[in-house]
Amino acid sequence: MKCDVCDENTATVFLTQIVKGDMQKINLCEHCAKEKGVTDPTGFALADMLLGFGHGERVETHPQEKTCRACGMTQTTFRKTGRLGCARCYSVFGEGMDGLLKAMHTKVCHTGKVPAHAGQLKAEEDLLARLRSELDAAVGEEHFEEAARLKIEINSLEKKLRSRVSV
Amino acid sequence: MMKFTTLLRRRPEWMEHDGPCRDIVLTSRIRLARNLDGPPFPGWAKKENRVEIMEQLRPRVESLSVMKDCFSEDLANLDAIKKQVLVEKHLISREQAAKSGGCAAVINRDQSYSIMINEEDHLRMQSIRSGLDLTAAHAGLDRLDTELEDQVPFAWDRRFGYLTACPTNLGTGMRASAMLHLPALVLCDQVTSIINAANKIGLAVRGLYGEGTEALSNLFQVSNQRTLGDSEAEILARLEKVIRQIITHERNARRKLLEDNPQKVCDNIGRAYAALRFAHIMESKEALTHLSMLRLGTDVGVFPAAETKLIDTLLLEIQPAHLQIASQRKLTAEERDILRAETLRRRLTHLPEPDMRACQESDGPAGGPDVVI
Ligand SMILES: [Zn+2]
Ligand SMILES: [Zn+2]
C-alpha cells in the first residue's frame, strides 16, 4: 500500500481516528509520518492531513447524507475540511452555504467579472429562475422573512432584465 | 524556454522599476483563483487526475502572450532548495512547494506574472508590480485571465462567481495585496492598532511570507479577505484607500520620530550599519531587522536614495534557500549565518557611512547641518 501523502513510498504507519462519530483512515510512509509530526497519533487532526490530499479512506457512517455525484464529496467531509471537491459540488452543497458565506464575505451574490462564455444576459436569467424556485421553497417552508427578501431581489432583477431587453 | 539559472540571475521587473510610493510600498500583488468545470479540485483529485489536468493546462498557459520564453517546470523536477527559492521570491506559495506530483509553475521572463497549476485550485495566477500599483497589476492579470478563458472555460456561477476549492475565495477569486515597510509605526508601537483597524474592515495584515509568518524586517502584507459580493474594482479601491491611509500614518510617525527622538533613529540606523558592514555571523532575523533600518535610512536621506534597490535585493539574497543556491550546496544553519554575514559585508562595502545630518536637520535651534560633529 502506498503512502497517502507522497503517493510514492510504501506505507508503514496506519492511523484510524474517530472524529464526531466518523471514522477516518490514513496510511503514511515513515518519512511523511515524521514530517507531519505523527509520533503521537492523538496529537494531530487527521482532517488536517486529509485536507489537500483527499485519498484518506473514509468509512461511511451517514449513508443518506448529501454527496456530490460528480466527485464523491460528502457533506461530512466538506464540513470537516472546509473545501469542496469540484465545481459541481456547489450545486449540491451551495444551498446550505448562505450562513457560512455571510460570515466570510460582503454579500452572498457575485457582482464582479462575468466571463464571456457565461454571457451577462443568460446568467441573469439563470439567477432569476433560481431565485424564483428559492422563493417557492421559502414560502412552502413558511420562511416569510426570507421570502420577502427574495421578492425584492426578484423584482429588481426583473426590472433590470426588462430594461435591457427593450434597449 | 527559460532555464532555472536564468530565472535566478535575472532581477525581477518589480525590483528594477520604481513604482508609486516605493519608499513605503515594496510591491503590489494580485492573485486570481480559477478552476476547470468538471474535474475534481487538486486537493480532492487523485495524483493521476492532477497530472492529467496539469498536462492539459500547462501548454495553454505557456502559450499566453506574456509567457513568451517563460520558465515552466513540473515541480517534481525541482529539488527542495529550488522550490524554496521560488517561495522566497514570492513566485510560488509555500503550499505549492510542499505538494508532490502533478503540480507546475509557469513564470514569465521578467517575473511579473507567475501561474501555479494545481495549487489549491487548478490555477492560481499572480501578477506583481513595484510600489503601490494595484489597479495596473490587476488590469494586466485580467487581460491574461480573459485570454486564457477563451481557450479553457472556467467554472463560474451567476451567484457564486468563480468557483473555488475553498469558499473563502469565491466570487472574484481575487486576493489583492501590498507589501508595506512600516518601521516608524513599529518603533512608535502604533502598528498593532493599525492592524486591528484594518482587520475590522475585512482586510488581513500578515508578515513577509504570508499567513502565520512573523512581520520580519517591519514588512507587512495588507490584503482583502472578502472576495464575494463586491466587484474587483470596488475591492481594489477600498484596499488602496486603506493603504494610502497607512502610508500617511507611517510618514507622520517618521516625522514625529525624527522630531521627538532623533537620537533613537540615528542609533538604530548606526547600529544596523555597523552590524551589516562588519559582523561575521548573522541570523536571518537580525539581518532583516538591520536591513529595515538601512531602508529607513535611505528614505530619510541618511544613505543615498539609489541604495533602496540594493537593500530590497538583499532582503531576498540573505534568505536561506537563496544563500544555499548561491553556494551550490546544502548549508547548516551555522554555515548560513556565516555566509549571510559575508554576503552582506561584500554587497555593502561601497555603502558610505550614514550621514546623520538628515536625521537632525529638523531638530534643535538655528544650528543647521554643521552643528553635527
Ligand atoms: Zn510518504
Ligand atoms: Zn463535487
Side-chain angles (χ1 to χ4, degrees), chain A residues 5-8 50-55 70-74 77-78 82-91 94-95 97-98 100-101 103-120 123-124 126-127 130-131 134 149 160, chain B residues 32 34-48 50 98-101 120 141-143 145-146 149-150 152-172 225-232 234 238:
Chain A
V5 173
C6 63
D7 215 8
E8 273 159 22
L50 291 174
L51 192 137
F53 298 102
H55 337 219
C71 76
M73 175 60 70
T74 62
T77 310
F78 164 51
R83 303 293 193 280
L84 281 304
C86 76
R88 301 291 154 81
C89 280
Y90 280 96
S91 55
E95 276 169 44
M97 273 170 50
D98 268 20
L100 182 77
L101 293 178
M104 288 173 177
H105 298 288
T106 324
K107 286 161 227 141
V108 296
C109 199
H110 179 61
T111 61
K113 186 170 182 174
V114 177
H117 74 85
Q120 184 80 29
E124 275 166 356
D126 288 351
L127 175 65
R130 183 142 148 200
L131 289 173
E134 278 181 32
R149 187 184 68 77
K160 196 166 148 196
Chain B
L32 295 176
R34 298 290 186 255
N35 284 288
L36 301 176
D37 201 354
F41 297 140
W44 187 243
K46 295 232 158 55
K47 192 178 169 181
E48 310 88 78
R50 288 204 304 269
K99 296 217 162 160
S100 60
E120 185 180 281
L141 193 61
D142 184 53
R143 275 195 299 276
D145 176 49
T146 306
E149 205 155 50
D150 252 10
V152 214
F154 296 137
W156 186 89
D157 172 275
R158 181 63 192 99
R159 182 164 189 193
F160 296 131
Y162 287 95
L163 301 176
T164 51
C166 183
T168 50
N169 296 313
L170 278 178
T172 57
Q225 265 176 320
R226 300 169 189 159
T227 55
L228 176 66
D230 290 324
S231 69
E232 288 82 356
E234 286 166 329
R238 183 175 315 123

Side-chain angles (χ1 to χ4, degrees), chain B residues 195-207:
Chain B
I195 291 175
N196 291 341
N199 287 341
K200 258 184 213 139
I201 52 169
L203 301 179
V205 183
R206 304 193 171 100

Side-chain angles (χ1 to χ4, degrees), chain B residues 57 101 114 117 121 149 169-170 226 281 286 307 314 349:
Chain B
L57 286 174
S114 60
I117 301 174
D121 296 296
E149 205 155 50
N169 296 313
L170 278 178
R226 300 169 189 159
I281 300 171
E286 186 191 356
E307 301 297 340
L314 288 174
T349 340

Side-chain angles (χ1 to χ4, degrees), chain A:
Chain A
M1 190 181 299
K2 283 201 174 160
C3 164
D4 284 332
V5 173
C6 63
D7 215 8
E8 273 159 22
N9 305 335
T10 309
T12 53
V13 181
F14 307 96
L15 291 166
T16 307
Q17 203 176 44
I18 310 245
V19 181
K20 289 181 196 137
D22 219 346
M23 188 154 55
Q24 296 179 324
K25 286 182 180 174
I26 194 161
N27 313 310
L28 302 173
C29 70
E30 213 170 300
H31 172 82
C32 291
K34 213 177 264 172
E35 191 139 272
K36 299 277 170 190
V38 190
T39 42
D40 167 18
T42 54
F44 80 112
L46 215 44
D48 289 345
M49 294 202 46
L50 291 174
L51 192 137
F53 298 102
H55 337 219
E57 184 191 333
R58 246 180 38 77
V59 177
E60 202 60 72
T61 51
H62 311 285
Q64 274 150 18
E65 74 174 332
K66 270 192 200 170
T67 304
C68 171
R69 254 188 277 166
C71 76
M73 175 60 70
T74 62
Q75 180 86 29
T76 314
T77 310
F78 164 51
R79 286 245 171 92
K80 208 169 299 163
T81 62
R83 303 293 193 280
L84 281 304
C86 76
R88 301 291 154 81
C89 280
Y90 280 96
S91 55
V92 182
F93 309 111
E95 276 169 44
M97 273 170 50
D98 268 20
L100 182 77
L101 293 178
K102 265 180 203 146
M104 288 173 177
H105 298 288
T106 324
K107 286 161 227 141
V108 296
C109 199
H110 179 61
T111 61
K113 186 170 182 174
V114 177
H117 74 85
Q120 184 80 29
L121 193 66
K122 185 184 171 305
E124 275 166 356
E125 279 163 358
D126 288 351
L127 175 65
L128 191 61
R130 183 142 148 200
L131 289 173
R132 279 178 182 144
S133 78
E134 278 181 32
L135 175 63
D136 288 344
V139 171
E141 288 166 34
E142 306 196 339
H143 292 152
F144 295 115
E145 219 171 286
E146 172 80 347
R149 187 184 68 77
L150 286 163
K151 246 178 221 162
I152 294 170
E153 220 173 312
I154 289 169
N155 285 343
S156 83
L157 191 61
E158 279 174 334
K159 213 160 118 192
K160 196 166 148 196
L161 279 173
R162 268 200 304 276
S163 72
R164 195 164 300 158
V165 172
S166 63
V167 168

